[in-house]
Amino acid sequence: MKKSLQTFSLALCALFSSASIAHDYHKGNIQIDHPWSREAPPTATVIAGFFQLKNNSDVDDFLIDATTPVAKRVEIHTHEMADGMMKMKQIDSVKITAKQTEMFKPGGYHLMIFNPEKAYKEGDRFPMTLTFKHAGKVEVEMAVEKKGHVHAHAHTH
């Protein structure tokens, strides 16, 4: 009996600890996996946001806006080659093609979060609202990580 209780307790702890680590969000046919931001120095006036977006629909959708109560302005950005140099560029939306996945990652699509209210440290989380043309608003929590998230899931582009 005691052995069964210990096994059950360990299984319960494992379930709750993995549930608190994993954080993905669904709304309609949009799935948002592991929203995160890299830890920045206390003097940083901008931080970036990253995640994976999956569109499980037969219709394209578009990320059209992002907001957070912890900063006055959030912009959607990409990187593009201009005059032989890679530069960041603000864009109005990102197309998430039907049945496809779009990665928001360093060097690619990302959110720029301007003048955050404080310096977030590893382990902190802050709220973000992502707005899609068809799926509408999705509330997520950005997890702050020291070195950045290495995404282990397979994805298509």
Side-chain angles (χ1 to χ4, degrees):
M1 175 72 175
K2 188 175 180 184
K3 180 85 170 154
S4 295
L5 189 56
Q6 287 174 333
T7 303
F8 177 74
S9 295
L10 285 173
L12 199 58
C13 287
L15 175 68
F16 283 114
S17 65
S18 64
S20 66
I21 293 169
H23 63 287
D24 64 332
Y25 304 84
H26 296 81
K27 173 130 187 226
N29 289 306
I30 293 291
Q31 178 180 339
I32 302 152
D33 185 38
H34 196 86
W36 66 279
S37 181
R38 189 174 288 135
E39 184 178 271
T43 56
T45 58
V46 65
I47 56 177
F50 310 102
F51 39 82
Q52 174 181 286
L53 296 178
K54 183 169 185 180
N55 183 353
N56 295 310
S57 172
D58 293 326
V59 179
D60 296 345
D61 207 339
F62 299 82
L63 176 66
I64 57 173
D65 194 29
T67 58
T68 180
V70 305
K72 288 188 177 16
R73 188 170 96 235
V74 180
E75 296 178 357
I76 305 168
H77 280 219
T78 190
H79 283 86
E80 70 176 21
M81 192 62 83
D83 300 322
M85 295 180 65
M86 191 63 82
K87 296 183 178 180
M88 276 193 295
K89 176 185 174 188
Q90 182 182 0
I91 55 177
D92 293 329
S93 66
V94 174
K95 179 180 180 179
I96 300 86
T97 305
K99 303 293 184 192
Q100 297 294 312
T101 299
E102 197 62 64
M103 294 295 296
F104 277 58
K105 61 185 180 182
Y109 292 122
H110 58 279
L111 300 180
M112 294 300 295
I113 304 156
F114 292 90
N115 300 308
E117 66 185 10
K118 70 175 198 165
Y120 290 93
K121 299 286 182 204
E122 180 178 26
D124 289 346
R125 290 181 180 234
F126 60 90
M128 180 72 63
T129 302
L130 303 176
T131 304
F132 297 87
K133 183 175 181 180
H134 301 297
K137 293 181 184 294
V138 183
E139 305 289 331
V140 303
E141 275 194 327
M142 306 294 285
V144 179
E145 300 178 1
K146 199 164 203 119
K147 296 188 192 260
H149 180 65
V150 177
H151 211 287
H153 300 280
H155 62 278
T156 57
H157 181 66

